[in-house]
Amino acid sequence: MSHGLYVSFWLPTVVLGAALAIKLPSILKLWRDPLLRAVGGLLVFACAVFVFAAPKTIAWTNRVTGVPNIAAPWVYSLLTALSASWLLLIIAWRNGRTERSAQTRRATRWVVSVYAGVVVALWVLFALADVPVEQIRDLDTYYANTPFMREEILLYLLAHTVACSVTARLVWNWSRTEGLDAWLRWGLRFLGAGYVTNLLFSAAKLTAVGARWTGHDLDWLNTDIAPSAACIAATLVAVGFIVPHAGQYLQERWRIRRRHRSLKPLSRLMRDVTGAREPFDLRATPELRLIRRETFIRDALLQLARHLDDDLRARSYDAGVALGFERGRAQALAAAVTLLDAVEARGRALRHPEPPEAARTASPASSASPASSTSPASPASLADPSGSPASLADPSGSPASLADPSGSSGPTGRSSCSGASGPSGSSRPDTTYLLREIQAVSRVLRHPVDIQAVRAHAAAPAESLSTHE
């Protein structure tokens, strides 16, 4: 059992040390913040308590100093300082940098002075006590009836119990506050559970000591229950400090990686446009990889601007709504249909470039025909024959297109496909929605069946009109 107890003392030390390592950069960077200083002091004293309360460390301290049981007032002093740090944390947490700073300073001075007085009294009482027989594990019950040592044991336990009771009550109250971040709420719950378990440590110690005063033997509470409760409590407190930071960090990393993965379909599609892929570096951070992928996609989308068909987008949006998709998804599906059509149109234009003479002599009526501009059977009409560079310089030229497919210039709710006219009179399709909502567009690319349904439904009116004419 002694070996198991020894291990249990070092387990909370490791967890507390991890919590201190996580908080240390913030503590050093923002040292003037009283809340961070209180957290740092609490973790330092908590680590020190479990280092010096380990049975082997107690024996080493007594041997090095040559004073039997001198480790007792030293560990009691550290535990008292830890109790004071709990109260200082509560004071800084509750008031912070508010108009009650004067009240905060008074409360801080009161706690420091009272608990510093307790530490001084512990050493005075130890100097007056007669404790010649070294006790590694059960000093509190062994000397429970010894003058001055009896008072010392009672003093440190009362100081610990008061601080723990106040801290546990306030932490539990705060954990039920509305509007807290979920990770912070869980951290407070772990802290509250840790302080409640600390009360079990004090209760076990006080019960065992009180039993000695009445002539009974409940030493097992002091040697078995109290140390186990202290280890569990310290671990819970350390986890309470770790959870908010680790949880928020992992959540943010997961959000970034999920966003990066969700852009993969759109990134693959854009490789057909650029003939390349986004820069990749194994040493790059997740944030940098996300930025590079988003930049790559947006740059490729701008290259497609002259091939976008606003009328196809408007009809695809109407088709999506008609098929029962909600507005946001219908908007994304319409953008995906328009984007796929633009990629195909660009590919056809590259394979079969239009002769310059044909472009100059092309009939305006034929280029404006609804059948030729929207029918999948007329690939040449999907590209903007003017190739106006203004469409790349100002991709948001048409406020009534992709940015709001439900926008209407007439009673039908359909937006005009004319766009903004450049110097040559050609339309400049709007890429605002595509550039802004690349996540939504990329997600719907994972559902080709939905895209095909919208595309077919959107093409049906144009094909009927062409056949009728």
Side-chain angles (χ1 to χ4, degrees):
M1 180 178 294
S2 176
H3 178 70
L5 185 63
Y6 170 75
V7 173
S8 69
F9 269 89
W10 288 104
L11 176 61
T13 305
V14 172
V15 181
L16 287 165
L20 180 59
I22 291 174
K23 298 288 294 185
L24 190 59
S26 298
I27 294 171
L28 295 177
K29 184 178 180 180
L30 303 172
W31 177 250
R32 294 183 178 274
D33 189 332
L35 179 59
L36 287 175
R37 288 203 304 270
V39 171
L42 187 155
L43 293 174
V44 167
F45 283 123
C47 288
V49 164
F50 282 92
V51 168
F52 286 98
K56 285 189 175 181
T57 310
I58 290 175
W60 176 84
T61 303
N62 294 335
R63 183 176 67 254
V64 168
T65 59
V67 179
N69 298 312
I70 197 172
W74 174 240
V75 173
Y76 296 164
S77 298
L78 291 174
L79 187 58
T80 302
L82 175 61
S83 301
S85 70
W86 293 342
L87 294 175
L88 293 176
L89 174 64
I90 294 300
I91 292 170
W93 207 339
R94 182 183 63 183
N95 295 337
R97 298 179 179 179
T98 67
E99 64 280 359
R100 296 181 292 175
S101 58
Q103 178 185 352
T104 301
R105 287 195 295 270
R106 285 195 301 271
T108 300
R109 286 195 296 267
W110 186 86
V111 169
V112 171
S113 59
V114 169
Y115 278 80
V118 171
V119 171
V120 172
L122 291 174
W123 286 97
V124 171
L125 290 170
F126 180 77
L128 297 174
D130 182 18
V131 287
V133 181
E134 183 181 55
Q135 295 295 319
I136 302 299
R137 297 184 56 210
D138 56 351
L139 184 142
D140 290 355
T141 49
Y142 187 88
Y143 289 109
N145 291 310
T146 301
F148 300 111
M149 198 64 191
R150 174 182 58 222
E151 288 76 11
E152 175 171 0
I153 294 169
L154 184 61
L155 180 61
Y156 97 84
L157 287 175
L158 288 178
H160 176 270
T161 303
V162 169
C164 191
S165 300
V166 173
T167 307
R169 180 174 61 85
L170 292 177
V171 167
W172 276 114
N173 288 340
W174 289 338
S175 69
R176 295 192 293 269
T177 302
E178 295 293 333
L180 286 181
D181 174 79
W183 293 109
L184 178 58
R185 190 183 302 277
W186 275 106
L188 288 171
R189 287 173 179 172
F190 276 109
L191 286 175
Y195 290 124
V196 169
T197 310
N198 260 315
L199 287 174
L200 178 60
F201 164 83
S202 295
K205 287 272 188 180
L206 287 170
T207 302
V209 170
R212 279 298 186 105
W213 292 347
T214 59
H216 296 84
D217 185 357
L218 294 177
D219 291 3
W220 60 274
L221 291 173
N222 177 51
T223 56
D224 296 334
I225 301 300
S228 300
C231 293
I232 295 172
T235 303
L236 289 172
V237 169
V239 170
F241 284 111
I242 291 173
V243 162
H245 287 269
Q248 291 169 1
Y249 174 84
L250 293 175
Q251 184 179 25
E252 180 63 17
R253 288 296 176 273
W254 171 251
R255 186 191 67 81
I256 291 174
R257 292 184 183 278
R258 185 175 60 182
R259 185 178 178 90
H260 185 268
R261 285 197 303 270
S262 69
L263 289 174
K264 191 173 183 179
L266 188 54
S267 175
R268 284 179 173 175
L269 182 61
M270 292 301 99
R271 293 176 195 171
D272 297 336
V273 176
T274 63
R277 52 192 304 165
E278 72 260 25
F280 178 76
D281 184 357
L282 286 175
R283 296 171 297 179
T285 62
E287 294 88 348
L288 182 56
R289 291 180 184 179
L290 175 61
I291 291 172
R292 286 176 173 174
R293 176 162 285 184
E294 289 178 339
T295 303
F296 168 76
I297 290 173
R298 290 191 172 98
D299 288 345
L301 286 173
L302 289 175
Q303 296 182 34
L304 285 176
R306 64 189 294 264
H307 299 284
L308 296 173
D309 186 341
D310 283 350
D311 184 63
L312 175 62
R313 180 216 48 82
R315 289 186 289 103
S316 298
Y317 173 76
D318 291 344
V321 172
L323 289 171
F325 295 106
E326 56 91 17
R327 183 183 183 279
R329 185 165 180 82
Q331 193 175 24
L333 286 167
V337 169
T338 309
L339 185 60
L340 289 169
D341 185 84
V343 172
E344 294 170 4
R346 183 178 182 275
R348 289 191 295 266
L350 291 176
R351 290 192 300 271
H352 307 290
E354 186 178 5
E357 296 79 3
R360 286 194 298 266
T361 60
S363 171
S366 62
S367 63
S369 172
S372 62
S373 63
T374 60
S375 174
S378 301
S381 64
L382 293 172
D384 182 359
S386 67
S388 173
S391 63
L392 297 181
D394 183 12
S396 60
S398 176
S401 58
L402 285 172
D404 184 11
S406 63
S408 172
S409 60
T412 62
R414 294 278 300 275
S415 62
S416 172
C417 67
S418 61
S421 297
S424 63
S426 62
S427 64
R428 293 182 295 176
D430 183 14
T431 59
T432 303
Y433 180 79
L434 283 173
L435 294 172
R436 187 180 65 239
E437 300 296 339
I438 57 177
Q439 287 285 335
V441 177
S442 186
R443 281 194 294 268
V444 298
L445 286 175
R446 296 181 182 272
H447 303 278
V449 175
D450 292 345
I451 294 175
Q452 185 59 34
V454 170
R455 195 171 192 177
H457 197 281
E463 292 174 353
S464 300
L465 177 61
S466 178
T467 303
H468 175 74
E469 290 181 347

